[in-house]
């Protein structure tokens, strides 16, 4: 039986889901969070649906063994590929999957141009197609696949010249067409400042982290499972190295990737 003291499990294909964990921690500061990043198998976005499902189930089994009262799938690809199946396997567990903030963008910019930047799998999944078709009648929606950006964030190389050049090429066809850009992968918010510089401040950059956190809180409150007392965060990663764990904590604390890797190089 779930208790208030159980963890809220949060998982992603790597460090990207920490962007969601930051929102979760903000709206529920008293909760105990157990974050698991599967960086050893990242990126999920270039794998088959069957592979993503198998990886997702393996991670969730590990988390369930630790005692969960809720599970947040902080990975758009895993949500698209496995949320339905996970809910079927764990019907008594609160499971919240992240989705691109397409509704928010369509509400803010009716009739406008909206880019959805995501992994190839997320963009090709039927679940995303259904979401897109709710809004493509009233808005011009552009699907923008960016598979390499996950690996760039995992490597902490967002602000390199090579990454900036890659993003400039990626967005060239959409210049002047976008009112909003929806970040459809939880790794991408860690590159939002670079993306904003390239697109210009007039393009609104949105992600689904805040909505996911608020929905998780609502579900826990409804179930009477919100916790009181000091909060806790545990971070684990399948690539069990000091570097990935240091990067994870720096991202959670809002520190830049550039400084992280400079300090690693300098041995600080």
């Amino acid at each position: 039986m779930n208790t208030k003291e159980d963890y809220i499990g949060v998982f992603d294909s790597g460090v990207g889901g920490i962007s969601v964990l930051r929102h979760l921690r903000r709206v529920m500061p008293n909760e105990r969070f157990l974050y698991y990043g599967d960086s050893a198998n990242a990126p999920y976005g270039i794998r088959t649906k069957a592979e993503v499902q198998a990886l997702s189930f393996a991670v969730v089994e590990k988390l369930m063994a630790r005692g969960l009262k809720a599970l947040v799938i902080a990975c758009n690809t895993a949500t698209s590929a496995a949320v339905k199946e996970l809910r079927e396997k764990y019907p008594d567990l609160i499971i919240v999957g992240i989705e691109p903030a397409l509704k928010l963008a369509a509400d803010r910019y009716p009739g406008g141009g909206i880019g959805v930047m995501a992994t190839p799998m997320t963009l090709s999944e039927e679940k995303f197609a259904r979401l897109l078709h709710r809004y493509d009648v009233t808005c011009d929606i552009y699907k923008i696949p960016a598979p390499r950006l996950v690996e760039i964030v995992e490597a902490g190389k967002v602000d390199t010249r090579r990454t900036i050049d890659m993003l400039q090429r990626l967005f060239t066809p959409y210049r002047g067409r976008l009112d909003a850009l929806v970040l459809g992968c939880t790794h991408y918010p860690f590159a939002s400042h670079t993306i904003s510089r390239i697109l210009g401040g007039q393009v609104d950059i949105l992600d689904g982290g805040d909505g996911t956190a608020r929905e998780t809180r609502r579900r826990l409150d409804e179930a009477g499972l919100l916790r009181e007392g000091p909060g806790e965060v545990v971070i684990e990663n399948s690539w069990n190295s000091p570097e990935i764990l240091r990067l994870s904590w720096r991202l959670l604390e809002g520190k830049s990737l550039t400084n992280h890797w400079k300090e690693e190089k300098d041995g600080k």
Side-chain angles (χ1 to χ4, degrees):
M1 183 176 178
N2 298 332
T3 73
K4 292 182 179 181
E5 295 303 311
D6 288 334
Y7 285 112
I8 299 172
V10 186
F11 91 90
D12 177 54
S13 62
V15 300
I18 291 173
S19 65
V20 181
L21 179 59
R22 288 170 64 174
H23 288 289
L24 288 162
R25 195 183 187 193
R26 175 175 52 80
V27 302
M28 294 180 287
N30 299 325
E31 294 296 337
R32 301 175 69 225
F33 295 101
L34 173 58
Y35 181 89
Y36 191 91
D38 192 16
S39 294
N41 293 300
Y44 281 12
I46 61 172
R47 294 181 177 274
T48 66
K49 182 175 181 178
E51 287 175 327
V52 174
Q53 287 180 343
L55 290 167
S56 298
F57 271 84
V59 169
V60 174
E61 286 177 10
K62 290 178 184 177
L63 295 177
M64 288 295 290
R66 307 280 287 277
L68 299 186
K69 62 181 178 182
L71 173 71
V72 178
I73 308 174
C75 174
N76 293 82
T77 300
T79 297
S80 296
V83 67
K84 178 176 178 288
E85 291 76 10
L86 285 167
R87 285 173 176 155
E88 289 172 354
K89 182 169 183 179
Y90 302 104
D92 298 325
L93 181 68
I94 294 171
I95 298 179
V96 179
I98 191 166
E99 289 188 351
L102 193 51
K103 181 182 186 302
L104 177 60
D107 288 346
R108 284 189 185 179
Y109 303 98
I114 298 171
V116 182
M117 185 179 182
T119 65
M121 175 175 283
T122 296
L123 293 174
S124 66
E125 272 296 305
E126 181 182 344
K127 188 175 189 294
F128 173 75
R130 290 196 302 269
L131 179 65
L132 184 148
H133 289 318
R134 292 182 203 167
Y135 307 107
D136 62 1
V137 175
T138 57
C139 298
D140 294 321
I141 298 177
Y142 304 94
K143 296 194 290 187
I144 308 174
R148 291 178 55 201
L149 191 54
V150 171
E151 295 167 278
I152 287 166
V153 172
E154 289 283 320
K157 297 180 179 178
V158 168
D159 286 324
T160 66
R161 184 72 256 169
R162 180 177 294 182
T163 299
I164 292 168
D165 290 344
M166 183 271 287
L167 289 171
Q168 286 176 330
R169 290 193 299 271
L170 183 70
F171 290 120
T172 293
Y174 310 101
R175 289 188 183 280
R177 298 185 181 185
L178 302 181
D179 295 294
L181 177 70
V182 175
L183 302 181
C185 172
T186 55
H187 282 74
Y188 298 171
F190 294 118
S192 60
H193 61 292
T194 303
I195 293 169
S196 182
R197 288 204 305 268
I198 292 169
L199 290 177
Q202 72 278 8
V203 178
D204 197 2
I205 297 177
L206 306 170
D207 72 81
D210 179 66
T212 300
R214 293 183 183 279
E215 174 64 8
T216 304
R217 190 187 192 287
R218 185 191 70 78
R219 296 278 302 277
L220 286 166
D221 188 23
E222 191 177 70
L225 289 173
L226 287 175
R227 181 177 183 271
E228 298 179 0
E232 177 189 0
V233 176
V234 177
I235 296 179
E236 299 177 358
N237 196 290
S238 58
W239 180 34
N240 191 25
S241 72
E243 291 80 13
I244 201 72
L245 294 175
R246 277 198 291 270
L247 173 59
S248 299
W249 282 105
R250 289 186 70 91
L251 291 173
L252 182 62
E253 293 162 3
K255 297 179 180 178
S256 75
L257 296 179
T258 303
N259 289 342
H260 164 75
W261 289 98
K262 182 178 186 300
E263 290 178 12
E264 290 292 327
K265 183 177 179 182
D266 293 346
K268 294 182 181 178

